[in-house]
Amino acid sequence: MSYQALYRVWRPQRFDEIVGQKTITQTLKNAIMTKQTSHAYLFTGPRGTGKTSMAKIFAKAINCHHTVDGEPCNKCETCMAITEGRLNDVIEIDAASNNGVEEIRDIRDKVKYAPTEADYKVYIIDEVHMLSTGAFNALLKTLEEPPANVVFILATTEPHKVPATIISRTQQFSFRRIAPQDIYERMVYILKDKKITFDEKALKVIAKAAEGGMRDALSILDQVLSFSDNHVTLESALDVTGEVTEDQIAEYLQAALKRDTTQALTLLEQIQAAGKDGARLIEDLIEYCRDLLLYQQSPEMVEKIEMGLIDDTFKQLSQQFTAEQLYQMIEILNETQQQLRFTNHPDVYLEVVTVRLTQLQPKAAVPAANAAPAPQVQQLEQQIQQLQQQLQQMQAQPAANTAAAKPASKPAPHSAVKTPHVHLEQLEPVLSVATRKDLNTVQDIWPDLMTMLSMTERAMLKVSAPVAASPGGVIVAFDYPILFERATKNQELRNDITGNLNKLTGNTYQLVLVAKDEWPSLRKRYIELHHGNLKKKPAAAAEKKPEEPPVVTKAMDFFGKDNVKVEEN
Amino acid sequence: MKLAQLVKQLQQGKTDPMYVILGQEDYLIQQTKLAFKKLLSPDEMTMNFGEYDMTTTPVAVALNDAISAPFLGERRVVFIENPYFLTGETVKNKITHDLDGVLQYVTEPQQSTILVFFAPYEKLDARKKVVKQLKKKATLIDVSRLNERESTRFVQQRIEQDGFRIAPDALRLLSERTDGNLTQMMNEVTKLETYAAQSKQIDAAAVDQLVAQSLEDNVFHLVDAVLSKQTAQALEIYRELLLQKEEPIGLNAIVLSQFRLLLQVKILSEKGYSQGNLASTLKVHPYRIKLALQQAKRFSRRTLKAGYLGLEETEVQMKSGQMDKNLAFELFVLKFAAA
C-alpha cells in the first residue's frame, strides 16, 4: 500500500479519540444514546480541530447497531463501509467546489428518498461557507423541513459567512483550538506506537507551530519524520518549521544588551550562513521581543503558549530589558521589515539593524540589578547615602581628608554618559560662508564617500546626511543621538571622512558633526545671532523678527535657506 | 391571546375558523405551527393541509384550497405565510393578489377550514379593509418578541418542565450569549439538555463550552480585557478571533468604535444625560448604552481617551502597511496596559 500521511492514518475513529473537544463529544454521544439527534448540525472551528472527523464518527455512530455508550463499534459492515467511504447513504460534499444552486438542488431532490442500506442518510457538507447565496437559500428550504431519517452536518471554518437563517436551524457546535499540551500528548502517543524516539523539545516546537490544529501538527511531524531515522530531533523540527533557534535569538539579543556589536554581527553571519531567511529572522526577533514584553506583563500566558519551553535566558532577558527598550527595538525591527521588502540586498539592512540594535541607548549598558523597578534611581539613592555618610565623616574628622573623599568623587558608572554638545562657535566658520552649491556638491558625492568607507563606518553613517557646507567645511547631521555621540568620539572615522572627501573633491573640508534633533535649533540660534550682529536693531520687537514663522523654517529645511524668499502679501 | 392559551384550546378541540399569528419570535411561530398540525392525523396531513407563501404564490390559490371541503376528515388546515398585503409594506414582485377575494372570504369564512395567517411583522396596517375585517372575525395570537426577562423566565420554565435544573449564573450566561433572543436560547437549550442528559444539571461551565459567543460578544469582552489591562486575556481573545478568520483591521475598527462609544457615553453622562437620552442622542441601541454605561463607569476619561487615540494610530499603521497587522494590535494592547 502506498504511503499514507500521518493525519490520515491517525484520523480518529471513535469519539474518545478526538482530542480537546470533550463537551462536544459528550453531547453528541448523549444525543445518540438518548436518540435525541437533531436533523442538522453546524460544526465550526479553526482548521484541524476535528470537525470532519467528528462528522464522520457521528455518521457511523448514528447508523451503527452495536454502539456502546454512543461510540460506534467500527467493526460492523456499516461502520467499515463509512470509514472506507463507500456507503451510499453517507454523502460527503465539499461545498468549496460544489457551491452552486444546482448541486444543492440535486441534494434537495435526492433527500426525499429513504436511505438504502443504513438507518439514516447523513449529508456532510464541508466548507459550507463557500456556498453561493442562491445555494444557501436552496439549502434553507431543505433544512426547514427535512424528511425523516436525514441528518445534515455542515462544517465550516468561518461561521460568520453562514447566514443567520441557516445557523438558527441547526445545532451549532464551536470547536476550540487544541491546546499545545494535547497536541503534544497525541504526537507522543503516535510516535510511541510507531516505535520512534524523539526529543521532547522537538515535539513542543511542532505543537507550538501547529497553532492549535492537529492536522498541521501531524503534517509537520510527517515532514520531520521523512528526513530523520527513527528519531525526531530538535534540529529537524526547527528546519521544517523554519524557525531560527530560540537560543540564537536569545544570544543575539544578549549581544545587543551588552552593546557588543562585533558579537552580534558574527551571530548574524552565522544565522545567515545557516540559510535562514532575513525577513524570517526579523519576524522571529519581533516575536521574541513581543514575547518578552508579554512575559513582563503576564508570565503565565507565555508559559502556556510556549509549553514550558521558556529557558532561563528568556527570563533573564525579560528582566534585563526595560519595556521602553523593547518597544524601541520592535520599532527599529519593524522599520527594517518594511525596508527589506523593497531591497535586493537584505544583508545590508540586517547589518545596519544589528548595529542599531546594539547601540540602542546608553541606558542599555546598565546591567539591571535583578529586576529592580528602576536601577538608576537605586543607584542614585545609594550615592546620596554614601555622600551623606562621607559628609558626616568629614565633619567628624576634618583632618582625614583625601582618603575618605576619594570614593565620593568617583564618577558615576559608565551609564551616565553625557551627550557631547556642539558649540555654536564650531559651526560659525562653516555656516558663515555656507552656500547651497557647496551643499549640493557634498550631497552629490556623499554616496561615493559611503562606498569608500569600511563596513562598520558605513553602517554608522547610514543614518547621517550632510546638512550644510561651505567651500572649507561640512556639517553632518545624525539621526540618532547615540550614533552621533559615537561618531564624535571616533577620530578614525572623522579622519576617514575628511580624507575621502579630499580625494573626491580636492578640497580640504573641516568636519562638524551635529545631532539631527539639535540641528534646527542650532541653526536658528546662529541665524538670530548673525542677523543681530549685522543689523543691531535696538528694539525688542526687532530682535524677535528673525524668528521666522514655522512655515518658513520648514520650507527652509526642505529647500535650503537660499532658495526660500519670504514675501509678505 | 397568548400561545399557551391557544395550545390549551386546540388540545380541547376548540377551534376558530381564522387565526392571525402576529409577531416575529421565530420559536413561538414554530410552536404554533406544530400545535395546528397536531390537529390533523398523519393521514389527513397529505390531503387536508396546505401551506402557501405569499411571496411566491398568489393568495387565490390558498383561498381555493380553503373553500374546498375537507377530504375524508373533519377539517382542513391552511397556512398563509408572509401575507405582506396586510401591512403597509411594498414588496417588489410580480404576484398579484386577489385582495377582494380575501375580503370576501374573511367576511364569510368556511367553517370546516382553519385558515391561519402567519404575519411575522410588528403590526398590521389597520387602515386596510381586510385588516379591519380580520380583526373583527379572526382570533389574534400574539407572538411578538419577548424581552430579555420574559425569555429567560420562559426558558427556565421549559428547562424545569423537561426535568432539568439550571444554575442561575448559567442562565444568565446563556441569556447574555444569545442576547436574550428566545429562539436562539431554545435552540441552545436542546443542546445543553443533551449534554446534561445524565446529571440533569446545567452549569455555567457547560454553557460556556457549548454556547458559541457571537462576534459582538467577543469584541465586547476584548474591549473589557483591554480596558482592565488583562493583557493575557485580551490577546487570547484576539488570537482566537484571528483564527476564526476575522480581519485585524475589522477587529480594530470594532474595538475603536466601542472605545468611541464609551467616550461619548462617559462625556455625555457627566453632562447629565440619562440612559434614554444617550440612546436617542447617539442613535445607539439602548442595551448597548446600558452596557457601555456600566463599562464606562469603571474607567477614567483619560484612560478611554488614551485607548481611543492609540487605536486610531494603530489603524493608520495597519492601513498604511507600516506594521504587520496582527502585531500592530498586539503591541497596542501591550502598550496600553503598560501605560
Side-chain angles (χ1 to χ4, degrees):
Chain A
M1 204 176 85
S2 62
Y3 181 75
Q4 264 201 325
L6 278 181
Y7 73 85
R8 291 184 57 202
V9 181
W10 292 90
R11 200 183 256 287
Q13 302 296 347
R14 296 158 47 82
F15 282 126
D16 283 349
E17 284 173 19
I18 294 183
V19 173
Q21 315 291 354
K22 275 262 146 41
T23 16
I24 299 176
T25 43
Q26 189 56 48
T27 312
L28 291 179
K29 274 189 337 195
N30 284 349
I32 292 197
M33 279 190 280
T34 54
K35 303 224 183 312
Q36 285 181 328
T37 51
S38 165
H39 62 270
Y41 289 97
L42 176 65
F43 291 171
T44 65
R47 71 196 136 83
T49 46
K51 297 181 297 293
T52 316
S53 302
M54 188 80 86
K56 281 192 168 167
I57 297 169
F58 186 79
K60 277 192 274 186
I62 201 173
N63 280 317
C64 180
H65 290 276
H66 313 281
T67 51
V68 183
D69 287 346
E71 294 274 11
C73 69
N74 277 325
K75 284 181 196 129
C76 64
E77 185 48 36
T78 336
C79 282
M80 307 242 287
I82 295 175
T83 311
E84 285 160 29
R86 56 182 166 81
L87 191 81
N88 288 330
D89 291 327
V90 175
I91 300 122
E92 235 191 297
I93 301 152
D94 175 27
S97 45
N98 303 299
N99 57 0
V101 187
E102 281 312 310
E103 281 88 358
I104 300 298
R105 278 211 188 120
D106 190 46
I107 296 178
R108 219 169 80 184
D109 294 340
K110 287 187 184 151
V111 111
K112 288 181 226 144
Y113 308 121
T116 49
E117 292 165 63
D119 301 348
Y120 285 90
K121 252 187 173 179
V122 183
Y123 284 88
I124 302 174
I125 307 182
D126 229 333
E127 308 296 339
V128 74
H129 62 270
M130 296 296 283
L131 287 181
S132 64
T133 328
F136 268 128
N137 285 330
L139 184 62
L140 194 59
K141 281 282 167 216
T142 325
L143 287 182
E144 252 175 5
E145 282 174 23
N149 295 344
V150 172
V151 174
F152 280 93
I153 302 179
L154 316 177
T156 177
T157 46
E158 291 166 60
H160 55 276
K161 285 195 185 154
V162 180
T165 40
I166 297 263
I167 294 182
S168 71
R169 282 178 176 77
T170 56
Q171 243 181 52
Q172 188 186 356
F173 288 98
S174 37
F175 286 59
R176 274 143 211 270
R177 256 192 302 171
I178 306 171
Q181 190 57 36
D182 290 341
I183 296 184
Y184 173 77
E185 276 160 20
R186 179 77 176 162
M187 284 193 290
V188 170
Y189 177 78
I190 292 175
L191 289 179
K192 282 210 172 127
D193 188 89
K194 287 177 78 95
K195 301 210 165 49
I196 294 173
T197 51
F198 56 87
D199 289 350
E200 262 183 40
K201 263 196 164 179
L203 292 195
K204 284 181 177 167
V205 165
I206 298 176
K208 201 186 113 198
E211 288 187 325
M214 187 60 87
R215 189 171 54 229
D216 297 48
L218 294 187
S219 297
I220 299 172
L221 186 61
D222 228 346
Q223 279 185 57
V224 175
L225 283 178
S226 67
F227 60 93
S228 50
D229 296 329
N230 285 326
H231 183 75
V232 181
T233 61
L234 179 60
E235 287 82 62
S236 42
L238 286 172
D239 273 342
V240 171
T241 51
E243 274 177 65
V244 181
T245 52
E246 304 252 313
D247 292 349
Q248 272 173 316
I249 291 192
E251 228 175 302
Y252 182 86
L253 286 178
Q254 258 168 344
L257 189 71
K258 282 190 227 128
R259 296 161 61 67
D260 188 344
T261 317
T262 338
Q263 165 80 6
L265 282 170
T266 330
L267 275 168
L268 175 69
E269 206 177 305
Q270 277 172 14
I271 295 172
Q272 281 184 308
K276 302 287 179 196
D277 181 34
R280 187 64 205 258
L281 170 69
I282 297 284
E283 212 172 287
D284 285 345
L285 274 171
I286 294 182
E287 261 167 41
Y288 198 90
C289 288
R290 183 201 57 200
D291 285 346
L292 284 174
L293 267 176
L294 194 54
Y295 191 80
Q296 288 178 349
Q297 287 183 16
S298 59
E300 67 291 343
M301 182 180 180
V302 183
E303 305 234 359
K304 205 169 111 200
I305 299 173
E306 303 282 328
M307 303 180 59
L309 273 186
I310 305 174
D311 44 19
D312 292 337
T313 347
F314 182 87
K315 285 180 194 162
Q316 267 172 26
L317 279 173
S318 77
Q319 286 171 351
Q320 285 165 340
F321 278 112
T322 62
E324 229 9 80
Q325 284 172 333
L326 288 170
Y327 287 126
Q328 222 177 339
M329 284 166 70
I330 290 176
E331 225 152 85
I332 294 175
L333 286 165
N334 197 45
E335 224 172 87
T336 314
Q337 199 174 27
Q338 303 303 320
Q339 289 164 340
L340 282 181
R341 282 203 247 155
F342 304 111
T343 179
N344 291 326
H345 305 287
D347 302 9
V348 181
Y349 286 97
L350 288 176
E351 277 158 18
V352 171
V353 82
T354 308
V355 175
R356 281 176 71 185
L357 286 181
T358 48
Q359 316 201 338
L360 202 55
Q361 251 185 4
K363 268 189 233 155
V366 183
N370 280 335
Q376 291 93 337
V377 177
Q378 275 192 345
Q379 237 171 29
L380 288 174
E381 275 174 359
Q382 275 176 2
Q383 280 177 356
I384 293 175
Q385 267 182 353
Q386 271 180 11
L387 286 170
Q388 277 174 338
Q389 278 175 3
Q390 280 151 9
L391 202 68
Q392 280 169 353
Q393 277 175 7
M394 276 158 72
Q395 280 170 340
Q397 38 178 185
N401 42 23
T402 41
K406 229 176 194 153
S409 63
K410 198 172 156 190
H414 208 72
S415 66
V417 185
K418 269 193 222 148
T419 9
H421 264 287
V422 187
H423 293 294
L424 213 48
E425 300 85 76
Q426 289 176 284
L427 294 176
E428 186 83 49
V430 184
L431 275 181
S432 56
V433 279
T435 65
R436 185 76 216 167
K437 210 178 110 223
D438 284 306
L439 179 58
N440 286 345
T441 350
V442 178
Q443 272 171 348
D444 280 346
I445 58 157
W446 199 252
D448 299 330
L449 172 74
M450 295 287 268
T451 53
M452 296 167 83
L453 296 171
S454 74
M455 193 62 202
T456 33
E457 287 172 339
R458 210 186 306 157
M460 218 185 246
L461 283 185
K462 186 92 196 165
V463 293
S464 70
V467 287
S470 68
V474 56
I475 299 174
V476 178
F478 282 83
D479 264 354
Y480 300 94
I482 164 72
L483 285 187
F484 157 61
E485 178 200 325
R486 284 183 79 97
T488 326
K489 287 188 191 150
N490 193 337
Q491 188 57 43
E492 201 183 326
L493 171 72
R494 307 177 60 163
N495 288 345
D496 278 349
I497 296 176
T498 38
N500 285 321
L501 276 175
N502 192 7
K503 268 187 223 161
L504 284 166
T505 58
N507 286 352
T508 321
Y509 282 100
Q510 191 199 348
L511 187 65
V512 182
L513 304 179
V514 294
K516 198 159 199 173
D517 303 343
E518 291 174 11
W519 169 240
S521 61
L522 279 172
R523 194 185 41 191
K524 200 153 73 185
R525 276 219 322 273
Y526 169 76
I527 294 171
E528 274 172 39
L529 273 174
H530 207 58
H531 280 229
N533 283 342
L534 280 180
K535 296 174 186 166
K536 285 188 181 161
K537 286 197 177 165
E543 260 181 28
K544 267 192 181 169
K545 202 207 153 194
E547 219 173 298
E548 273 127 351
V551 188
V552 180
T553 0
K554 195 92 186 185
M556 283 188 172
D557 275 349
F558 280 133
F559 306 111
K561 70 177 162 147
D562 295 26
N563 295 346
V564 177
K565 208 166 107 193
V566 184
E567 287 182 18
E568 290 201 34
N569 294 324
Chain B
M1 208 186 339
K2 285 279 176 196
L3 178 61
Q5 253 172 301
L6 171 76
V7 173
K8 212 176 265 171
Q9 286 191 358
L10 290 183
Q11 275 168 357
Q12 290 163 356
K14 277 192 231 162
T15 58
D16 293 327
M18 278 188 299
Y19 290 94
V20 176
I21 316 296
L22 181 65
Q24 291 162 306
E25 193 64 72
D26 205 38
Y27 175 75
L28 296 179
I29 296 174
Q30 296 305 327
Q31 293 298 309
T32 326
K33 282 189 181 172
L34 278 181
F36 277 113
K37 283 183 188 171
K38 270 195 198 144
L39 289 173
L40 301 172
S41 67
D43 299 340
E44 283 180 289
M45 276 301 282
T46 44
M47 296 310 298
N48 288 335
F49 176 73
E51 197 172 8
Y52 304 93
D53 185 348
M54 290 303 107
T55 52
T56 51
T57 325
V59 72
V61 181
L63 292 178
N64 230 339
D65 193 8
I67 51 173
S68 26
F71 181 79
L72 293 180
E74 275 179 53
R75 50 173 91 84
R76 183 177 277 280
V77 176
V78 176
F79 287 175
I80 291 186
E81 290 188 54
N82 300 318
Y84 60 88
F85 46 79
L86 298 182
T87 69
E89 238 173 86
T90 43
V91 176
K92 266 180 263 159
N93 59 14
K94 290 283 174 286
I95 297 164
T96 41
H97 291 294
D98 174 19
L99 292 183
D100 293 337
V102 182
L103 189 61
Q104 207 183 333
Y105 183 90
V106 170
T107 352
E108 272 176 50
Q110 180 81 16
Q111 289 304 319
S112 60
T113 300
I114 301 173
L115 182 66
V116 191
F117 290 91
F118 285 97
Y121 311 107
E122 269 178 23
K123 59 173 196 272
L124 301 178
D125 186 352
R127 290 166 305 177
K128 287 192 173 168
K129 245 188 189 162
V130 195
V131 179
K132 279 181 192 157
Q133 271 298 323
L134 264 179
K135 280 199 168 160
K136 240 185 271 170
K137 303 259 178 157
T139 318
L140 190 78
I141 311 290
D142 176 29
V143 290
S144 53
R145 287 249 157 85
L146 299 184
N147 66 28
E148 202 183 332
R149 226 181 42 229
E150 286 166 346
S151 344
T152 319
R153 192 160 358 111
F154 191 99
V155 167
Q156 194 173 7
Q157 275 169 8
R158 160 72 193 272
I159 290 175
E160 277 161 13
Q161 266 172 31
D162 293 348
F164 288 84
R165 292 174 60 92
I166 182 163
D169 55 338
L171 190 63
R172 208 175 313 125
L173 188 64
L174 175 63
S175 138
E176 209 180 284
R177 292 253 168 116
T178 50
D179 232 358
N181 181 313
L182 183 69
T183 311
Q184 262 185 51
M185 272 170 134
M186 291 314 293
N187 209 347
E188 300 293 347
V189 163
T190 346
K191 200 160 70 182
L192 289 167
E193 287 183 353
T194 325
Y195 174 67
Q198 279 104 24
S199 67
K200 303 276 178 197
Q201 281 283 352
I202 301 172
D203 55 9
V207 177
D208 179 48
Q209 290 281 312
L210 282 171
V211 181
Q213 268 183 338
S214 66
L215 175 63
E216 293 75 30
D217 211 27
N218 267 325
V219 170
F220 185 77
H221 284 132
L222 179 61
V223 172
D224 208 37
V226 170
L227 271 174
S228 44
K229 309 201 169 171
Q230 291 166 325
T231 328
Q233 210 190 345
L235 292 186
E236 212 168 290
I237 300 175
Y238 181 66
R239 287 178 188 173
E240 192 70 38
L241 285 170
L242 286 187
L243 269 181
Q244 289 172 22
K245 310 255 173 76
E246 292 295 342
E247 262 299 312
I249 292 187
L251 285 176
N252 193 71
I254 301 179
V255 177
L256 185 67
S257 76
Q258 181 66 23
F259 263 86
R260 180 160 161 264
L261 179 71
L262 288 176
L263 254 182
Q264 287 174 327
V265 166
K266 182 102 192 160
I267 294 170
L268 289 180
S269 68
E270 276 167 12
K271 288 192 176 164
Y273 279 66
S274 71
Q275 191 174 323
N277 280 342
L278 281 170
S280 57
T281 315
L282 298 174
K283 296 203 176 69
V284 177
H285 194 274
Y287 184 66
R288 273 188 72 199
I289 295 282
K290 188 179 141 204
L291 292 177
L293 271 172
Q294 287 168 5
Q295 223 175 15
K297 219 178 280 166
R298 300 187 351 242
F299 303 102
S300 76
R301 196 155 139 186
R302 257 199 31 225
T303 319
L304 293 175
K305 194 171 155 194
Y308 181 72
L309 292 177
L311 279 164
E312 203 198 322
E313 198 185 311
T314 313
E315 184 168 335
V316 172
Q317 284 173 341
M318 281 178 174
K319 287 186 175 168
S320 53
Q322 285 171 35
M323 202 181 265
D324 179 72
K325 283 184 260 177
N326 300 349
L327 184 72
F329 188 83
E330 291 193 1
L331 277 186
F332 161 74
V333 174
L334 288 168
K335 256 188 202 168
F336 183 71

